Amino acid sequence: MPDQLSQQALDVRAALAQALGAADATLTEARSQHIAAVERRDRVAAAAERQRVQLALARDNRLRDIDHRHHDELAALAGAAAAAGQTGAPGAAGDRWDSWQPTPGMPGDTAPELRIGRLLLPFDGEIPALVPLLDRGHVVVRGDERLGDEVVAGLLLRALGSAPPGTVRLTGYDPENLGGGLAGFAPLAGAGVLTFVGPGGLPALLDELVEHVRRINETVLAGEHTSLRELAAATGRRPEPWRVAVLLNPGALGRHERQQLERLLRTGAACGVHLVVRGVGVRAVPGIEVIEAAAGDQARSSGAGDLPIRLDPGPPATVLTLTSRRIADEVAAGPAPVALASLLPAAEWQETSELGLTAPLGDSPQGTEVRVTLADYPPHALIAGPSGTGKTNLIYAWMGALSARYSPTELAFYLLDFKEGVSFARFAPGRRDPSWLPHVRLVGVNVNTDREFGLALLRFLGSELRRRADAAKRHEVTNLAELRAEDPDGHWPRIVAVVDEFQVLLAGRDAVASEAVDLLEDLARRGRSQGIHLVLASQDVSGIEALWGRPALVAQFSLRIALPRARRVLAETNLAAESLPRYHAVVNADSGAHPANKVVRVPSAGDRNSWNELQHRLWRRRPHDLPAPRLFDGDAIPRLEDSPDYRKLQAGVTLPSPVVLLGETIDVTARSARTELRRAPGRNLAVLGTRVDEACAVLGTAARSLATQFEPGAVRFSVACLDTDASGAVDTLKADLNPADTGFYDASNVDWLLEDTADAAGQEPGDRPHFLFLYAVDAVPSLGGSVLRILRQGPERRIHVLGWWRGAALLRDTLGGQASRTDPIGAWVALDVHGSELAPYFPSAGAPAWYPRPWRALHFDRSVHRGAEVIIPYGVS
């Protein structure tokens, strides 16, 4: 038993020893693991610390990167916002007041937004606070009244300065201050850019604006466009101005006024009608910008959300006043015209005038062409406009448009300008420019003292009318279109006769005015059917008694064109011309009745470079057999060498009788006044007057024209100078006459000549004609007997006297006194002799209507003339 116990104790001890050893080993292992764990823990902790440091560093770097990027993005955003502000509100719409200037832009571009101040954002930078107005909507200003007035003034000035002058029209309603809130804009009122409405006028103003919106929708937009902004973008033109109504504290609104205001707020912007309102409660809805005016950083705008705004101060008073005056002056001067090229077709000379002449005269306010027609109806045009309103420019534009569409075989112009100037001279060849407008057949300039030339033009047109009427009868037709169809080989262009300042022709109650009115009435009545159209222009047609005394004549001019401030050319109740701007006209094809009005903006056609380009192009295309037009210049002295009649004279050509050329007639053709010296009683010529140069010019022309018709030795000339003032002209004449055929005399020996010639006048005719040129016959009274015998008997013996008497009474003395007959003088040329003095030499009852004019003469030949004709003596070559 003990052994067992001992053994058990040993076993226990061995087990315990073994367990203790195992435990020690386990402890040692645990301690080793603990140490490793601690080391591992330390390493992890160290790594974690390092990671934490690295993460913190990375975080800091990342935060720095984010800050930098955010800063850059904010800077870019600020730059973009600033650029957007400059783009959305360029120039006058957004510049600060210290550097502000008007910068008119638009018409077809988008209207800019307008600056009211500066947006306050959490970063530096100039970000403008912009408000839409023109073409976009309306503005309501609330809050501080003083600051609100400054906001309104700034908005209006920026709108005015951003648009072309006159395209923004203001209407002010300020019942409390009686317009004082808009006092700085007062200079605009005189130009019609600003209109003040008095207290109580708000209902009428709102009704007018609503009616304006209705008209724009019906007649301008007409369903083709949704707004004027869209129309302007499509056409590049703005047909209507912006109308901005400024309502300052209008007070309580009635039901009707509130309804009209809401209509305008809803529909006005699309039609260019905008409201700027202060003191009226209006809901902030799309299209209405609400500005809360407050000091410091407290201002707000509905378009900027909750962002604070620092409002700009109002525009300086000097800037406001000077700008208003400048705009008013520019509006009064009128808009600059567009170019002549806008009237020209893509292809020239492609149209026929068979049924009429149609061409654009310019653009309407809606941007569409305004075309003008001359045909059976309307047949003739009446143009009126005070000096400086563009009457000549309108005529140029109309002629340019017609000339580019119709060839010279389709259209012929006859141009006459009665005022002192050369407006039409550019259409004829000149010294510096040999070109001419191929359609022009006649140009008359500086004819204000030569009313006879206007009468000659009417006579010519009358003869052309008879020629066409006779041709129509032969072909059994009634109008030009039918005549051209029946006679396609005939030359039947439509004729347009333009007479500027035509009232000069009709002035007074003399024979010229009386005949001119009769001819005008006949041409106006019958010319329409034969393609002859009259265009009469004047600064003022209201005082032309001869015109308005013939209502049947006036009625034929159904096409009326009125320039700014023209009087009476339109119907009495039609006042459209009174408010026209410069370069505009009212075209009315219904005798001036108001419903037929068409407002047209006339292009600039007076620029010589633009016109020359067109004229040279058409001139190069002219038919090669087309003659240059006849140019009659009342200030020019014609030359004998340029006379077609003189160039036809040839020596040795047998003529029925010698022809004496005396001067150029005031006629459509460059015809020379002439007298034939036949073998018949009275075939002598007397020049009457005291003007030495003109008398010598007439006698010199007569001598040169006669000398051209004879071979040497076939004629005899005797020239007697009895006035030393004429000696220079006689000396000049010597070089043009054959010395072998000519004898020269003076007071010392002329009696021999006259006595021998008087004896020869009583004998048989000589072998050759004998022409006596006597300068100042009355200077030697003792020669009167011999001269009278030659005058009476000489012509039948081929002896003719061409003499100068220094007065009509002095010629009567030569003829035998007051009771003597004047038959020996068959032709005469009167210079500074009044018509009453010529009665004895004039066959009709009374005396010719003649009032002397410089370098003009009255010619009468009893063998061919029923009345005397005015001539221009040829000058010395």
Side-chain angles (χ1 to χ4, degrees):
M1 190 70 171
D3 294 333
Q4 291 179 344
L5 290 173
S6 300
Q7 186 63 38
Q8 290 179 345
L10 291 173
D11 292 339
V12 169
R13 288 189 186 99
L16 289 173
Q18 184 178 359
L20 181 63
D24 289 338
T26 300
L27 177 63
T28 302
E29 178 66 22
R31 287 176 178 171
S32 297
Q33 291 180 353
H34 170 70
I35 293 171
V38 170
E39 290 177 353
R40 186 165 61 253
R41 183 202 62 186
D42 291 342
R43 289 197 302 272
V44 170
E49 180 63 21
R50 289 195 301 274
Q51 185 68 22
R52 185 185 66 79
V53 172
Q54 290 176 354
L55 289 175
L57 182 61
R59 179 201 61 196
D60 293 342
N61 290 336
R62 181 61 175 167
L63 289 175
R64 282 194 298 271
D65 290 343
I66 292 174
D67 288 341
H68 290 159
R69 186 162 60 252
H70 180 62
H71 183 274
D72 292 342
E73 289 175 353
L74 286 178
L77 179 62
Q86 292 294 327
T87 302
D95 287 344
R96 300 176 65 91
W97 296 124
D98 54 6
S99 60
W100 191 88
Q101 290 289 337
T103 55
M106 302 180 280
D109 299 333
T110 301
E113 297 186 64
L114 307 175
R115 173 182 170 130
I116 60 170
R118 182 165 62 91
L119 287 174
L120 301 178
L121 299 179
F123 53 83
D124 295 333
E126 178 70 13
I127 308 302
L130 305 182
V131 169
L133 179 63
L134 301 183
D135 279 337
R136 290 180 170 87
H138 316 277
V139 173
V140 175
V141 181
R142 299 172 181 168
D144 187 286
E145 187 169 313
R146 181 186 64 80
L147 295 177
D149 284 344
E150 293 185 356
V151 170
V152 171
L155 281 174
L156 297 181
L157 186 59
R158 291 188 185 280
L160 288 166
S162 301
T167 58
V168 175
R169 303 294 176 96
L170 306 181
T171 302
Y173 181 68
D174 186 11
E176 288 190 4
N177 296 318
L178 299 179
L182 300 175
F185 296 94
L188 297 172
V193 179
L194 171 63
T195 303
F196 288 104
V197 176
L202 181 60
L205 170 60
L206 295 176
D207 290 345
E208 177 191 346
L209 294 175
V210 168
E211 176 61 22
H212 179 74
V213 171
R214 184 200 61 78
R215 181 184 68 82
I216 295 297
N217 278 319
E218 291 184 3
T219 64
V220 180
L221 300 179
E224 296 184 10
H225 300 281
T226 60
S227 67
L228 290 179
R229 176 183 179 181
E230 180 184 303
L231 187 152
T235 64
R237 303 181 183 90
R238 182 158 188 97
E240 293 280 343
W242 290 276
R243 299 191 64 177
V244 180
V246 186
L247 311 182
L248 302 179
N249 294 320
L253 301 182
R255 179 180 179 183
H256 176 73
E257 289 81 6
R258 174 64 66 175
Q259 290 176 342
Q260 297 292 66
L261 181 65
E262 290 177 355
R263 289 189 179 102
L264 292 173
L265 292 172
R266 187 174 63 256
T267 64
C271 298
V273 175
H274 305 277
L275 302 179
V276 176
V277 181
R278 181 172 60 74
V280 177
V282 176
R283 291 184 299 111
V285 297
I288 299 177
E289 185 81 9
V290 178
I291 300 173
E292 296 287 347
D297 303 344
Q298 302 305 309
R300 295 292 187 274
S301 170
S302 60
D306 197 40
L307 290 175
I309 296 174
R310 181 167 294 163
L311 295 175
D312 288 337
T318 55
V319 172
L320 179 56
T321 303
L322 291 176
T323 303
S324 297
R325 289 175 180 171
R326 173 180 170 181
I327 293 174
D329 291 342
E330 293 183 4
V331 171
V338 294
L340 173 64
S342 64
L343 299 184
L344 305 183
E348 296 168 345
W349 292 1
Q350 298 298 309
E351 300 186 24
T352 175
S353 64
E354 181 177 346
L355 298 177
L357 299 165
T358 300
L361 196 55
D363 291 344
S364 72
Q366 292 75 35
T368 57
E369 275 189 344
V370 176
R371 300 177 73 82
V372 182
T373 296
L374 288 174
D376 286 354
Y377 191 89
H380 312 293
L382 197 59
I383 303 174
S387 178
T389 56
K391 178 163 51 65
T392 300
N393 178 75
L394 184 144
I395 294 173
Y396 285 168
W398 197 359
M399 289 181 58
L402 287 171
S403 300
R405 282 165 173 76
Y406 300 95
S407 71
T409 60
E410 298 286 336
L411 168 64
F413 283 118
Y414 290 81
L415 310 175
L416 187 58
D417 187 356
F418 272 103
K419 63 178 178 289
E420 295 183 6
V422 290
S423 299
F424 293 151
R426 64 173 61 185
F427 304 124
R431 291 188 299 271
R432 292 184 299 176
D433 186 355
S435 73
W436 69 86
L437 189 63
H439 308 73
V440 174
R441 303 291 185 269
L442 170 74
V443 176
V445 296
N446 292 316
V447 293
N448 54 310
T449 60
D450 291 314
R451 297 165 62 225
E452 296 85 0
F453 189 78
L455 193 59
L457 172 60
L458 297 181
R459 289 170 178 166
F460 168 81
L461 295 176
S463 64
E464 177 65 17
L465 176 60
R466 289 189 294 273
R467 186 178 78 89
R468 295 184 175 208
D470 291 341
K473 290 178 182 178
R474 289 195 305 271
H475 292 280
E476 299 181 346
V477 296
T478 59
N479 57 44
L480 182 68
E482 295 174 353
L483 176 60
R484 290 178 58 164
E486 292 294 325
D487 184 18
D489 296 329
H491 183 59
W492 308 112
R494 286 194 179 264
I495 291 175
V496 177
V498 182
V499 184
D500 198 5
E501 301 303 336
F502 74 98
Q503 77 279 357
V504 174
L505 176 61
L506 306 181
R509 300 184 179 181
D510 56 8
V512 173
S514 178
E515 184 180 355
V517 172
D518 290 339
L519 289 169
L520 270 177
E521 187 165 6
D522 183 57
L523 284 167
R525 181 172 49 85
R526 299 195 298 134
R528 68 170 70 211
S529 61
Q530 302 304 333
I532 298 178
H533 307 282
L534 302 174
V535 177
L536 305 184
S538 175
Q539 292 186 23
D540 185 3
V541 301
S542 61
I544 306 175
E545 180 181 347
L547 181 66
W548 297 107
R550 302 277 188 105
L553 169 59
V554 178
Q556 300 296 330
F557 290 82
S558 52
L559 177 57
R560 310 288 179 84
I561 301 177
L563 291 152
R565 303 184 304 282
R567 299 174 55 196
R568 199 172 178 180
V569 68
L570 302 176
E572 291 186 6
T573 58
N574 190 350
L575 306 179
E578 294 185 1
S579 58
L580 280 179
R582 194 180 179 193
Y583 300 114
H584 286 67
V586 175
V587 177
N588 189 300
D590 193 17
S591 300
H594 190 277
N597 283 353
K598 293 182 178 179
V599 177
V600 56
R601 184 185 183 194
V602 183
S604 175
D607 178 66
R608 182 169 290 275
N609 292 332
S610 299
W611 183 266
N612 284 352
E613 181 181 351
L614 172 64
Q615 179 164 302
H616 287 175
R617 188 168 66 249
L618 299 181
W619 181 65
R620 289 190 293 268
R621 294 187 58 186
R622 74 190 187 282
H624 295 296
D625 58 347
L626 185 69
R630 149 93 155 129
L631 173 62
F632 176 84
D633 186 349
D635 285 350
I637 298 177
R639 302 191 317 154
L640 178 63
E641 288 75 8
D642 296 331
S643 165
D645 291 328
Y646 178 73
R647 291 197 292 264
K648 292 177 183 178
L649 299 177
Q650 298 182 26
V653 177
T654 303
L655 296 174
S657 55
V659 175
V660 176
L661 304 185
L662 304 170
E664 185 177 280
T665 59
I666 299 181
D667 199 358
V668 171
T669 59
R671 179 176 60 87
S672 296
R674 52 196 292 152
T675 288
E676 292 189 16
L677 299 181
R678 301 184 301 275
R679 288 183 59 187
R683 290 292 83 199
N684 302 298
L685 175 72
V687 180
L688 308 175
T690 62
R691 294 202 286 251
V692 178
D693 291 344
E694 296 175 28
C696 292
V698 173
L699 289 182
T701 295
R704 292 178 176 89
S705 60
L706 283 171
T708 304
Q709 302 170 51
F710 294 94
E711 297 283 0
V715 66
R716 179 184 175 190
F717 293 103
S718 296
V719 181
C721 180
L722 309 179
D723 185 342
T724 55
D725 289 343
S727 58
V730 172
D731 290 341
T732 302
L733 182 61
K734 289 180 180 180
D736 295 325
L737 299 179
N738 188 347
D741 297 335
T742 309
F744 290 90
Y745 305 86
D746 55 26
S748 64
N749 57 5
V750 70
D751 53 341
W752 301 344
L753 166 68
L754 297 180
E755 290 174 2
D756 291 345
T757 305
D759 292 340
Q763 302 173 8
E764 292 296 323
D767 296 335
R768 55 181 181 166
H770 183 190
F771 302 107
L772 282 78
F773 289 86
L774 307 180
Y775 288 74
V777 180
D778 55 277
V780 185
S782 60
L783 303 178
S786 299
V787 173
L788 180 58
R789 287 175 57 195
I790 300 171
L791 290 172
R792 288 176 174 173
Q793 302 176 6
E796 294 185 84
R797 274 76 179 176
R798 303 176 70 186
I799 301 173
H800 306 273
V801 173
L802 297 92
W804 165 36
W805 283 263
R806 295 173 295 186
L810 297 174
L811 174 58
R812 289 301 297 273
D813 292 341
T814 300
L815 296 177
Q818 294 299 317
S820 63
R821 297 178 61 85
T822 59
D823 295 351
I825 300 298
W828 47 262
V829 175
L831 302 172
D832 55 339
V833 178
H834 285 272
S836 58
E837 302 176 64
L838 300 171
Y841 311 99
F842 201 63
S844 304
W850 171 244
Y851 301 94
R853 310 197 296 266
W855 210 265
R856 296 295 185 271
L858 192 67
H859 172 229
F860 177 74
D861 188 333
R862 68 173 65 245
S863 66
V864 295
H865 289 159
R866 295 178 59 187
E869 63 179 356
V870 180
I871 67 171
I872 307 175
Y874 288 115
V876 178
S877 299

